[in-house]
Amino acid sequence: MKIVAGLGSIDEYETFVKAGADEFFCGYVPFSWAEKYGVIHPLNRREVLFYNVQIGSMSELQILKKMVDYYGKPVTLTFNSLYYTGEQYPVIAEIITQCMAAGFENFIIADPALMLYLRQQKINCGIHLSGETAEVNRGMLEQMLPFGIRRVIFHRKNSLEDMQSCIKEADFPHEYEAFILNELCHFSGAFCNSLHCDELTHLCRVQYELGNLHKKEETDAAQKDVAETDRIQEKEGKGLPLDEDGYLTGSTGCGLCALYRMKQVGITHLKLVGRGNYTDFMEKDIRQLRKALDILEKSDKELQYQREMKASLFPDGCSQNCYYR
């Protein structure tokens, strides 16, 4: 399995390559797009200018391509919005054509209409089905076959059983990617109504309550469950092995325990979320994931892998935010 790391700027590329990343994904939003459409009609759902989340100029892309040629670690560009307006499809097709001319071959896309439009325009780019897609199952993948998708990226809420069913039962391509570290978002990507921009707090960071508007007893029970979960996690979180920067691998979402099963079901690539994260934190995550994969290669059984991985990476306890329980 290969490590696919999020890239917030071209300055991070060399650091992450040396840490052990095999591939990268990053956003590209030309200033002309941001100037015309702002945050209301995003190109990749990350319309941020004030910190490193994406690349904003063709000159940066050209520099990045030279780095890719030197190190041999490919970069996929993201076009993650679920839909676009009619006038935007030709604009996006032109942007993708320019990116292909600059040497970038593969693009992460969530909107089936954009996939159809690109194929109608005879634009033969590589397409990775975005993890922002609302649902991934065998029937849905069969609908995607005409678009010639090269890789399926499972969304955060797909179980390992879901993945196995899709991989073994669907007559589909060769590469399958799943989330492995960071940002176990409250929402599945397609159902997040937040704007990820400079002006507003992300919706998942706003406090909220769970409950039933019509049944007070169910509301009270739901709140009690949430409070108990918070209490347990706070208790178990004390004494965890935070480093000198106060960082814990996978503290905002971790799937390392499931690596053995992910390999068994056929996952080929591991998505390490990181656009906008601190560079040194991302570097540590990549190194930790590489250690886990090295342990996995030497393990014959799942319990053996989990025991050795936890002893090496989390000797005093691990994150409670598990992707795959």
Side-chain angles (χ1 to χ4, degrees):
M1 292 185 286
K2 294 183 178 180
I3 299 173
V4 185
L7 200 64
S9 74
I10 62 174
D11 296 331
E12 299 171 342
Y13 181 87
E14 183 179 18
T15 299
F16 294 169
V17 167
K18 292 181 178 179
D22 299 297
E23 295 184 13
F24 298 91
F25 65 94
C26 72
Y28 170 57
V29 181
F31 181 73
S32 58
W33 178 282
E35 185 177 40
K36 183 173 183 179
Y37 297 113
V39 301
I40 304 302
H41 297 290
L43 189 56
N44 70 22
R45 308 187 83 190
R46 297 293 186 278
E47 308 311 289
V48 176
L49 298 177
F50 289 164
Y51 56 94
N52 292 333
V53 171
Q54 61 211 353
I55 292 172
S57 70
M58 179 55 67
S59 60
E60 285 186 289
L61 273 187
Q62 292 168 343
I63 294 171
L64 180 59
K65 181 56 172 64
K66 291 183 178 180
M67 299 170 76
V68 171
D69 290 341
Y70 182 81
Y71 287 103
K73 307 296 183 181
V75 176
T76 303
L77 302 181
T78 63
F79 292 79
N80 263 339
S81 278
L82 307 177
Y83 59 89
Y84 302 95
T85 64
E87 73 172 62
Q88 289 177 325
Y89 288 103
V91 177
I92 297 171
E94 178 61 24
I95 293 174
I96 289 178
T97 300
Q98 293 172 357
C99 292
M100 293 177 69
F104 293 89
E105 179 182 358
N106 294 310
F107 300 85
I108 299 173
I109 297 175
D111 177 14
L114 177 58
M115 301 178 199
L116 176 62
Y117 183 82
L118 292 174
R119 295 315 189 213
Q120 288 177 338
Q121 300 303 309
K122 310 301 182 184
I123 298 176
N124 193 30
C125 60
I127 295 177
H128 294 183
L129 182 66
S130 173
E132 299 286 275
T133 307
E135 189 50 81
V136 178
N137 55 47
R138 284 175 287 168
M140 176 265 204
L141 292 183
E142 289 173 0
Q143 296 295 316
M144 298 291 107
L145 279 173
F147 302 136
I149 293 173
R150 297 180 181 179
R151 182 183 303 176
V152 173
I153 304 174
F154 292 105
H155 63 69
R156 290 176 175 86
K157 302 303 189 289
N158 276 119
S159 67
L160 292 171
E161 290 76 15
D162 292 336
M163 298 178 194
Q164 184 175 34
S165 175
C166 289
I167 293 171
K168 291 190 174 182
E169 301 296 334
D171 181 18
F172 213 68
H174 341 283
E175 297 179 346
Y176 296 90
E177 186 174 316
F179 287 82
I180 191 65
L181 282 179
N182 296 335
E183 299 307 325
L184 179 56
C185 185
H186 301 186
F187 311 104
S188 184
F191 301 106
C192 174
N193 292 312
S194 180
L195 292 174
H196 295 79
C197 60
D198 300 309
E199 295 84 356
L200 299 171
T201 299
H202 298 176
L203 191 60
C204 54
R205 305 299 185 191
V206 177
Q207 291 185 345
Y208 61 91
E209 294 183 354
L210 296 175
N212 188 314
L213 293 176
H214 305 291
K215 296 182 180 181
K216 184 178 185 303
E217 62 275 13
E218 292 186 11
T219 299
D220 293 342
Q223 291 302 326
K224 185 177 180 180
D225 289 343
V226 171
E228 179 65 11
T229 299
D230 290 343
R231 185 190 69 77
I232 293 173
Q233 291 188 356
E234 180 180 0
K235 179 181 178 181
E236 294 181 347
K238 291 179 180 178
L240 291 181
L242 304 179
D243 62 18
E244 64 276 8
D245 297 314
Y247 186 68
L248 171 67
T249 300
S251 60
T252 58
C254 181
L256 293 181
C257 286
L259 274 181
Y260 187 94
R261 285 175 289 158
M262 294 172 80
K263 182 178 180 180
Q264 296 300 310
V265 304
I267 297 300
T268 59
H269 293 75
L270 303 167
K271 179 181 282 294
L272 203 166
V273 182
R275 291 187 290 166
N277 198 354
Y278 293 110
T279 301
D280 54 342
F281 287 178
M282 273 292 291
E283 181 182 3
K284 292 172 184 177
D285 280 343
I286 295 170
R287 293 187 186 279
Q288 291 286 68
L289 179 52
R290 179 56 64 193
K291 287 180 183 178
L293 287 173
D294 290 342
I295 294 170
L296 179 64
E297 287 300 312
K298 301 173 185 176
S299 301
D300 296 325
K301 298 183 180 300
E302 182 176 5
L303 288 179
Q304 176 192 358
Y305 159 72
Q306 291 191 358
R307 188 182 305 113
E308 294 183 9
M309 183 275 293
K310 290 180 179 179
S312 176
L313 274 60
F314 305 108
D316 299 317
C318 64
S319 167
Q320 301 302 309
N321 296 308
C322 299
Y323 273 124
Y324 312 105
R325 290 188 179 277

